[in-house]
Amino acid sequence: MLAAGAPLSYAAEALGSAATDAMTPAHLPLALRLFAGTEPAEQPAEQPAQEPGQEDEDDEDEDERANLRYCLAEFLRTLDDPAARAAAARYDAEEEEREYRAVLDRLGADPAPAGRAELVRLLIDRVAENPYQGDLIKALGKYGDASALPVLTATLGHEHGAMQAYADRAIERIGGPAARREAVLAVLRDPAAAHRRAAYAAGRLGLTEAVPGLIGVLRDGSGEGRAAAVAALARLRAVEAVPDIAALPWTTGQRIRSRYDARLLALRQLGPGPDPARVEDLALDMVRWSVLDVRGSGGTFLRDLAVDVLALCDSPRATELVAQTLLHGTVRAALVRPLAERGDPALVEVMIHVIRTATDPRIRRLATEGIRRAAHHPDADPERLGEQLRWLRDDTTAAWLEPRVPERPGRMERLRRIAAAEEPRARAQAVKSLALLGTPEALELVAGLRADPSRHVRACVEGVLRGVPIADR
């Protein structure tokens, strides 16, 4: 199109990324011709005077030319052809030269640096003198070497978040993950540094050796640094930091009394740790504050977060509040799982309520496992458990529990009743439970279900009688 004299704006619009995405290797000659047609032209020594508005049109035309050239270079890069590779390499060299000249213009050094080593020294001096120069920090990452790491490490601890981010990327580009780890640890050890970016990086890099430094940030750092340190410690699963996290003021985070309480978010991952009483008191305070529904208190979100933390606290006070929350209809896996893992016989009725009301099958399975654990607890009362299980209306769950809890009178009669239940899923679970018992009476009952109307139940029966292992659920 350019060879035919079509306007460049039309060519750029018609042959932008959408058109180059549709190109195939058969379009190589066309792509090379178009690429050659967009070569940057040499500027004449003397340019004629421009008419009003002509300069803006020329700038727009140059942008369109650059966009078209970029799209064509990306297409040529995908082709296994010497001419295509040469064109893409020429484009990369031109872009490299353009970026280099842009850095020199930004520095404004007179005379210009004689070589790359002198350029790096000049960049280091400029960044050390004034870190508020993101483009120069990025240039250090591209052209710099190990000599730039000290000034970049100092910039990683700068107060401005964007400069921290530029320095972080530049350090990794020069020295890789090892240099980044060393820089992060150095910033965390410096009490005068800003720790936000370094703390987040320590969490993402999994630097367990940074835990002491992060705890030091909790005690002596700024608000943003503390919030980042809390997130990093949670990511590192640093349980030893729980007392320091619980001792933080409630303004820790981006906003005062934020509903995204950084402390509770971390404690929900770390648990009560070595100081459960302090964590429990903190969570209860947040529950009370959220109930007040004061402006900015976080409302139900903060309350749910605090109750999730209380579920991890194994104390009568916390357990009672979590149990009441479940009984009043707020059912979440974060609440059910800790209670189920304890296997407390006093919570069997709560687990039964969850099984009867929860719509999520994963939560019902957690509650069922909680009943199984409670049945084997040293303080379990088999007679009391039997009375409680009468309230379990789910035949499938009842059948699953029968062979997994201590035997109670009437086991075969209960399984016989479930094997005749209306729901095929319950009958199939009865077959699996009878197979686990493995007694002659149980296998005789299984054999009697060969003619069951459900194909799934019949498959379970045949598998049991042939000795084929069957999935539990």
Side-chain angles (χ1 to χ4, degrees):
M1 282 197 256
L2 291 173
L8 180 60
S9 59
Y10 177 75
E13 181 179 354
L15 295 174
S17 60
T20 53
D21 287 345
M23 283 184 173
T24 66
H27 295 101
L28 174 61
L30 172 63
L32 289 173
R33 288 199 303 273
L34 290 171
F35 187 80
T38 59
E39 295 278 359
E42 298 235 350
Q43 297 292 335
E46 294 184 6
Q47 297 190 19
Q50 294 181 336
E51 298 179 2
Q54 183 66 35
E55 185 176 350
D56 293 339
E57 293 179 6
D58 289 346
D59 290 342
E60 182 178 353
D61 189 70
E62 186 61 33
D63 291 341
E64 292 170 348
R65 184 188 298 273
N67 178 61
L68 175 59
R69 188 170 174 75
Y70 169 78
C71 294
L72 290 169
E74 290 301 306
F75 168 70
L76 293 170
R77 209 184 302 278
T78 64
L79 303 180
D80 186 15
D81 180 87
R85 288 195 295 269
R90 189 165 67 252
Y91 176 82
D92 292 340
E94 292 166 359
E95 286 297 298
E96 180 75 18
E97 178 66 18
R98 184 187 64 79
E99 292 179 9
Y100 187 80
R101 291 191 178 280
V103 172
L104 293 180
D105 293 342
R106 177 68 178 82
L107 284 171
D110 188 19
R116 182 162 179 167
E118 187 175 343
L119 171 65
V120 171
R121 286 197 298 272
L122 186 57
L123 287 170
I124 290 173
D125 292 341
R126 291 290 181 86
V127 172
E129 179 183 349
N130 178 16
Y132 286 97
Q133 302 183 85
D135 49 354
L136 298 187
I137 297 173
K138 289 187 282 187
L140 261 182
K142 182 170 185 178
Y143 301 109
D145 51 26
S147 63
L149 291 177
V151 70
L152 289 174
T153 300
T155 309
L156 180 60
H158 190 264
E159 61 182 359
H160 195 283
M163 303 307 114
Q164 296 175 21
Y166 293 144
D168 191 15
R169 298 189 194 103
I171 290 169
E172 186 165 26
R173 188 168 183 177
I174 292 174
R180 191 182 182 203
R181 285 195 294 270
E182 290 301 321
V184 166
L185 293 173
V187 171
L188 291 177
R189 287 193 295 265
D190 183 1
H195 303 103
R196 181 174 180 270
R197 180 78 183 194
Y200 280 129
R204 295 189 185 100
L205 292 171
L207 298 181
T208 54
E209 60 269 36
V211 169
L214 291 169
I215 293 176
V217 174
L218 294 185
R219 296 170 180 171
D220 305 317
S222 64
E224 287 190 353
R226 283 176 170 175
V230 169
L233 289 165
R235 195 163 188 165
L236 294 171
R237 294 291 190 266
V239 179
E240 61 269 33
V242 166
D244 292 284
I245 293 174
L248 289 172
W250 68 356
T251 54
T252 299
Q254 296 297 322
R255 296 184 301 276
I256 293 178
R257 300 172 188 172
S258 167
R259 74 194 196 103
Y260 300 103
D261 191 303
R263 303 166 304 167
L264 294 180
L265 286 169
L267 293 173
R268 185 169 62 177
Q269 297 182 59
L270 298 175
D275 196 356
R278 172 174 253 172
V279 172
E280 182 181 338
D281 290 340
L282 169 63
L284 287 170
D285 286 344
M286 291 300 101
V287 170
R288 297 187 190 101
W289 179 258
S290 65
V291 170
L292 293 175
D293 201 20
V294 178
R295 181 180 178 183
S297 67
T300 57
F301 183 93
L302 183 61
R303 182 167 65 251
D304 290 346
L305 188 56
V307 175
D308 288 351
V309 174
L310 284 173
L312 303 173
C313 300
D314 189 4
S315 73
R317 182 175 58 166
T319 301
E320 176 63 22
L321 191 148
V322 175
Q324 290 299 321
T325 301
L326 290 171
L327 292 174
H328 284 81
T330 303
V331 178
R332 298 190 305 278
L335 301 182
V336 177
R337 182 178 287 106
L339 300 190
E341 289 175 350
R342 291 176 206 161
D344 187 349
L347 298 173
V348 168
E349 293 182 6
V350 176
M351 296 295 107
I352 292 175
H353 175 81
V354 170
I355 294 171
R356 294 178 61 178
T357 58
T359 57
D360 189 337
R362 295 170 297 181
I363 293 179
R364 293 200 299 271
R365 281 195 290 270
L366 286 173
T368 304
E369 176 64 19
I371 295 175
R372 186 197 68 79
R373 288 172 179 262
H376 293 278
H377 194 278
D379 297 334
D381 182 352
E383 184 176 349
R384 172 66 176 160
L385 179 65
E387 295 175 357
Q388 292 170 325
L389 290 179
R390 291 196 185 99
W391 294 95
L392 188 60
R393 306 303 185 195
D394 185 356
D395 286 338
T396 304
T397 302
W400 186 88
L401 284 169
E402 281 295 346
R404 294 172 174 82
V405 300
E407 184 174 1
R408 297 174 291 122
R411 169 184 281 175
M412 289 304 302
E413 287 75 10
R414 289 189 294 273
L415 286 173
R416 193 185 307 275
R417 178 189 63 78
I418 297 174
E422 182 178 353
E423 185 183 1
R425 186 166 172 266
R427 300 199 301 273
Q429 185 59 60
V431 170
K432 298 173 186 179
S433 296
L434 289 166
L436 282 178
L437 294 178
T439 63
E441 183 182 4
L443 295 178
E444 182 181 355
L445 181 55
V446 169
L449 295 172
R450 279 178 166 170
D452 192 276
S454 169
R455 179 179 177 182
H456 175 54
V457 175
R458 294 198 303 272
C460 292
V461 170
E462 292 302 321
V464 169
L465 297 180
R466 293 177 185 175
V468 178
I470 301 176
D472 193 23
R473 279 196 176 188

